[in-house]
PDB file of all heavy atoms in Angstrom:
ATOM      1  N   PRO A  54     102.086 107.782  95.700  1.00 86.00           N
ATOM      2  CA  PRO A  54     101.214 107.892  96.867  1.00 86.00           C
ATOM      3  C   PRO A  54     100.054 106.899  96.744  1.00 86.00           C
ATOM      4  O   PRO A  54      99.595 106.628  95.632  1.00 86.00           O
ATOM      5  CB  PRO A  54     100.687 109.333  96.780  1.00 86.00           C
ATOM      6  CG  PRO A  54     101.691 110.073  95.956  1.00 86.00           C
ATOM      7  CD  PRO A  54     102.253 109.065  94.988  1.00 86.00           C
ATOM      8  N   ASN A  55      99.648 106.340  97.875  1.00 91.00           N
ATOM      9  CA  ASN A  55      98.414 105.538  97.926  1.00 91.00           C
ATOM     10  C   ASN A  55      98.477 104.119  97.382  1.00 91.00           C
ATOM     11  O   ASN A  55      97.438 103.475  97.255  1.00 91.00           O
ATOM     12  CB  ASN A  55      97.288 106.268  97.186  1.00 91.00           C
ATOM     13  CG  ASN A  55      96.183 106.641  98.138  1.00 91.00           C
ATOM     14  OD1 ASN A  55      96.314 106.441  99.354  1.00 91.00           O
ATOM     15  ND2 ASN A  55      95.101 107.168  97.628  1.00 91.00           N
ATOM     16  N   VAL A  56      99.651 103.626  97.053  1.00 95.00           N
ATOM     17  CA  VAL A  56      99.739 102.267  96.521  1.00 95.00           C
ATOM     18  C   VAL A  56      99.749 101.213  97.630  1.00 95.00           C
ATOM     19  O   VAL A  56      99.634 100.017  97.361  1.00 95.00           O
ATOM     20  CB  VAL A  56     100.985 102.083  95.617  1.00 95.00           C
ATOM     21  CG1 VAL A  56     100.864 102.934  94.360  1.00 95.00           C
ATOM     22  CG2 VAL A  56     102.262 102.420  96.371  1.00 95.00           C
ATOM     23  N   GLY A  57      99.900 101.672  98.895  1.00 95.00           N
ATOM     24  CA  GLY A  57      99.851 100.732 100.017  1.00 95.00           C
ATOM     25  C   GLY A  57     101.194 100.479 100.695  1.00 95.00           C
ATOM     26  O   GLY A  57     101.379  99.454 101.355  1.00 95.00           O
ATOM     27  N   LYS A  58     102.112 101.412 100.580  1.00 93.00           N
ATOM     28  CA  LYS A  58     103.449 101.245 101.171  1.00 93.00           C
ATOM     29  C   LYS A  58     103.394 101.106 102.693  1.00 93.00           C
ATOM     30  O   LYS A  58     103.994 100.208 103.275  1.00 93.00           O
ATOM     31  CB  LYS A  58     104.347 102.454 100.804  1.00 93.00           C
ATOM     32  CG  LYS A  58     104.569 102.617  99.309  1.00 93.00           C
ATOM     33  CD  LYS A  58     105.435 103.826  98.994  1.00 93.00           C
ATOM     34  CE  LYS A  58     104.794 105.163  99.343  1.00 93.00           C
ATOM     35  NZ  LYS A  58     103.549 105.435  98.625  1.00 93.00           N
ATOM     36  N   SER A  59     102.646 101.997 103.330  1.00 90.00           N
ATOM     37  CA  SER A  59     102.589 101.966 104.792  1.00 90.00           C
ATOM     38  C   SER A  59     101.811 100.744 105.293  1.00 90.00           C
ATOM     39  O   SER A  59     102.184 100.125 106.289  1.00 90.00           O
ATOM     40  CB  SER A  59     101.947 103.253 105.326  1.00 90.00           C
ATOM     41  OG  SER A  59     102.731 104.376 104.952  1.00 90.00           O
ATOM     42  N   THR A  60     100.743 100.397 104.587  1.00 94.00           N
ATOM     43  CA  THR A  60      99.964  99.210 104.959  1.00 94.00           C
ATOM     44  C   THR A  60     100.863  97.973 104.898  1.00 94.00           C
ATOM     45  O   THR A  60     100.832  97.117 105.777  1.00 94.00           O
ATOM     46  CB  THR A  60      98.771  99.029 103.986  1.00 94.00           C
ATOM     47  OG1 THR A  60      98.032 100.255 103.937  1.00 94.00           O
ATOM     48  CG2 THR A  60      97.868  97.896 104.418  1.00 94.00           C
ATOM     49  N   THR A  73      97.965 104.973 107.858  1.00 79.00           N
ATOM     50  CA  THR A  73      97.547 104.768 106.469  1.00 79.00           C
ATOM     51  C   THR A  73      96.202 105.443 106.262  1.00 79.00           C
ATOM     52  O   THR A  73      95.465 105.670 107.226  1.00 79.00           O
ATOM     53  CB  THR A  73      97.364 103.271 106.164  1.00 79.00           C
ATOM     54  OG1 THR A  73      96.304 102.769 106.992  1.00 79.00           O
ATOM     55  CG2 THR A  73      98.637 102.493 106.442  1.00 79.00           C
ATOM     56  N   SER A  74      95.878 105.781 105.039  1.00 73.00           N
ATOM     57  CA  SER A  74      94.543 106.300 104.751  1.00 73.00           C
ATOM     58  C   SER A  74      94.340 106.325 103.255  1.00 73.00           C
ATOM     59  O   SER A  74      95.296 106.223 102.489  1.00 73.00           O
ATOM     60  CB  SER A  74      94.361 107.699 105.331  1.00 73.00           C
ATOM     61  OG  SER A  74      94.725 108.667 104.372  1.00 73.00           O
ATOM     62  N   PRO A  75      93.081 106.453 102.818  1.00 70.00           N
ATOM     63  CA  PRO A  75      92.826 106.506 101.379  1.00 70.00           C
ATOM     64  C   PRO A  75      93.305 107.826 100.762  1.00 70.00           C
ATOM     65  O   PRO A  75      93.293 108.002  99.559  1.00 70.00           O
ATOM     66  CB  PRO A  75      91.306 106.409 101.274  1.00 70.00           C
ATOM     67  CG  PRO A  75      90.822 106.031 102.628  1.00 70.00           C
ATOM     68  CD  PRO A  75      91.855 106.482 103.598  1.00 70.00           C
ATOM     69  N   THR A  80     101.786 109.671 104.496  1.00 61.00           N
ATOM     70  CA  THR A  80     103.082 109.515 105.159  1.00 61.00           C
ATOM     71  C   THR A  80     103.959 110.729 104.874  1.00 61.00           C
ATOM     72  O   THR A  80     104.205 111.059 103.736  1.00 61.00           O
ATOM     73  CB  THR A  80     103.795 108.248 104.627  1.00 61.00           C
ATOM     74  OG1 THR A  80     102.915 107.143 104.797  1.00 61.00           O
ATOM     75  CG2 THR A  80     105.090 107.993 105.383  1.00 61.00           C
ATOM     76  N   ASN A 161     101.204  95.170  94.494  1.00 98.00           N
ATOM     77  CA  ASN A 161     100.263  95.107  95.626  1.00 98.00           C
ATOM     78  C   ASN A 161      98.812  95.153  95.139  1.00 98.00           C
ATOM     79  O   ASN A 161      98.551  95.355  93.963  1.00 98.00           O
ATOM     80  CB  ASN A 161     100.555  96.299  96.566  1.00 98.00           C
ATOM     81  CG  ASN A 161      99.761  96.219  97.859  1.00 98.00           C
ATOM     82  OD1 ASN A 161      99.415  95.125  98.327  1.00 98.00           O
ATOM     83  ND2 ASN A 161      99.459  97.361  98.455  1.00 98.00           N
ATOM     84  N   LYS A 162      97.904  94.980  96.072  1.00 98.00           N
ATOM     85  CA  LYS A 162      96.450  95.066  95.830  1.00 98.00           C
ATOM     86  C   LYS A 162      95.954  94.014  94.839  1.00 98.00           C
ATOM     87  O   LYS A 162      95.040  94.273  94.060  1.00 98.00           O
ATOM     88  CB  LYS A 162      96.054  96.470  95.346  1.00 98.00           C
ATOM     89  CG  LYS A 162      96.517  97.597  96.286  1.00 98.00           C
ATOM     90  CD  LYS A 162      95.747  98.886  96.094  1.00 98.00           C
ATOM     91  CE  LYS A 162      96.317  99.994  96.978  1.00 98.00           C
ATOM     92  NZ  LYS A 162      95.574 101.241  96.935  1.00 98.00           N
ATOM     93  N   ASP A 164      94.253  91.627  95.503  1.00 97.00           N
ATOM     94  CA  ASP A 164      92.878  91.270  95.877  1.00 97.00           C
ATOM     95  C   ASP A 164      91.865  92.049  95.034  1.00 97.00           C
ATOM     96  O   ASP A 164      90.711  91.657  94.922  1.00 97.00           O
ATOM     97  CB  ASP A 164      92.644  91.545  97.367  1.00 97.00           C
ATOM     98  CG  ASP A 164      92.944  92.994  97.746  1.00 97.00           C
ATOM     99  OD1 ASP A 164      94.101  93.438  97.539  1.00 97.00           O
ATOM    100  OD2 ASP A 164      92.034  93.694  98.218  1.00 97.00           O
ATOM    101  N   LEU A 165      92.293  93.165  94.453  1.00 96.00           N
ATOM    102  CA  LEU A 165      91.364  94.017  93.707  1.00 96.00           C
ATOM    103  C   LEU A 165      91.365  93.760  92.206  1.00 96.00           C
ATOM    104  O   LEU A 165      90.527  94.269  91.482  1.00 96.00           O
ATOM    105  CB  LEU A 165      91.716  95.507  93.918  1.00 96.00           C
ATOM    106  CG  LEU A 165      91.474  96.113  95.296  1.00 96.00           C
ATOM    107  CD1 LEU A 165      91.864  97.588  95.276  1.00 96.00           C
ATOM    108  CD2 LEU A 165      90.010  95.958  95.708  1.00 96.00           C
ATOM    109  N   SER A 191      99.041  91.033  98.514  1.00 98.00           N
ATOM    110  CA  SER A 191      98.051  92.002  98.969  1.00 98.00           C
ATOM    111  C   SER A 191      98.395  92.389 100.406  1.00 98.00           C
ATOM    112  O   SER A 191      98.348  91.557 101.305  1.00 98.00           O
ATOM    113  CB  SER A 191      96.634  91.415  98.925  1.00 98.00           C
ATOM    114  OG  SER A 191      95.757  92.248  99.668  1.00 98.00           O
ATOM    115  N   ALA A 192      98.741  93.647 100.595  1.00 98.00           N
ATOM    116  CA  ALA A 192      99.081  94.111 101.942  1.00 98.00           C
ATOM    117  C   ALA A 192      97.849  94.100 102.840  1.00 98.00           C
ATOM    118  O   ALA A 192      97.963  94.028 104.061  1.00 98.00           O
ATOM    119  CB  ALA A 192      99.676  95.517 101.877  1.00 98.00           C
ATOM    120  N   LEU A 193      96.669  94.151 102.220  1.00 97.00           N
ATOM    121  CA  LEU A 193      95.435  94.191 102.996  1.00 97.00           C
ATOM    122  C   LEU A 193      95.041  92.808 103.501  1.00 97.00           C
ATOM    123  O   LEU A 193      94.755  92.621 104.680  1.00 97.00           O
ATOM    124  CB  LEU A 193      94.303  94.793 102.155  1.00 97.00           C
ATOM    125  CG  LEU A 193      93.100  95.312 102.930  1.00 97.00           C
ATOM    126  CD1 LEU A 193      93.474  96.529 103.759  1.00 97.00           C
ATOM    127  CD2 LEU A 193      91.952  95.645 101.987  1.00 97.00           C
TER     128      LEU A 193
HETATM  129  P1  LIG B 269     100.759 104.703 100.908  1.00 81.03           P
HETATM  130  O1  LIG B 269     100.397 106.119 100.569  1.00 81.03           O
HETATM  131  O2  LIG B 269     101.446 104.043  99.735  1.00 81.03           O
HETATM  132  O3  LIG B 269     101.513 104.544 102.181  1.00 81.03           O
HETATM  133  O4  LIG B 269      99.365 103.920 101.033  1.00 81.03           O
HETATM  134  P2  LIG B 269      98.596 103.443 102.351  1.00 81.03           P
HETATM  135  O5  LIG B 269      99.293 102.302 102.987  1.00 81.03           O
HETATM  136  O6  LIG B 269      98.282 104.634 103.195  1.00 81.03           O
HETATM  137  O7  LIG B 269      97.292 102.838 101.685  1.00 81.03           O
HETATM  138  C1  LIG B 269      96.448 103.603 100.842  1.00 81.03           C
HETATM  139  C2  LIG B 269      95.088 102.945 100.764  1.00 81.03           C
HETATM  140  O8  LIG B 269      95.151 101.706 100.063  1.00 81.03           O
HETATM  141  C3  LIG B 269      94.499 102.623 102.130  1.00 81.03           C
HETATM  142  O9  LIG B 269      93.124 102.913 102.099  1.00 81.03           O
HETATM  143  C4  LIG B 269      94.756 101.124 102.281  1.00 81.03           C
HETATM  144  O10 LIG B 269      93.818 100.476 103.103  1.00 81.03           O
HETATM  145  C5  LIG B 269      94.618 100.647 100.845  1.00 81.03           C
HETATM  146  N1  LIG B 269      95.377  99.412 100.578  1.00 81.03           N
HETATM  147  C6  LIG B 269      96.681  99.186 100.862  1.00 81.03           C
HETATM  148  N2  LIG B 269      97.038  97.936 100.466  1.00 81.03           N
HETATM  149  C7  LIG B 269      95.943  97.361  99.924  1.00 81.03           C
HETATM  150  C8  LIG B 269      95.676  96.070  99.316  1.00 81.03           C
HETATM  151  O11 LIG B 269      96.516  95.179  99.194  1.00 81.03           O
HETATM  152  N3  LIG B 269      94.410  95.877  98.869  1.00 81.03           N
HETATM  153  C9  LIG B 269      93.440  96.822  98.965  1.00 81.03           C
HETATM  154  N4  LIG B 269      92.222  96.518  98.512  1.00 81.03           N
HETATM  155  N5  LIG B 269      93.656  98.037  99.534  1.00 81.03           N
HETATM  156  C10 LIG B 269      94.888  98.306  99.991  1.00 81.03           C
END
Side-chain angles (χ1 to χ4, degrees):
N55 244 5
V56 294
K58 299 179 294 299
S59 298
T60 307
T73 63
S74 91
T80 305
N161 188 29
K162 305 200 184 185
D164 56 301
L165 291 181
S191 166
L193 199 67

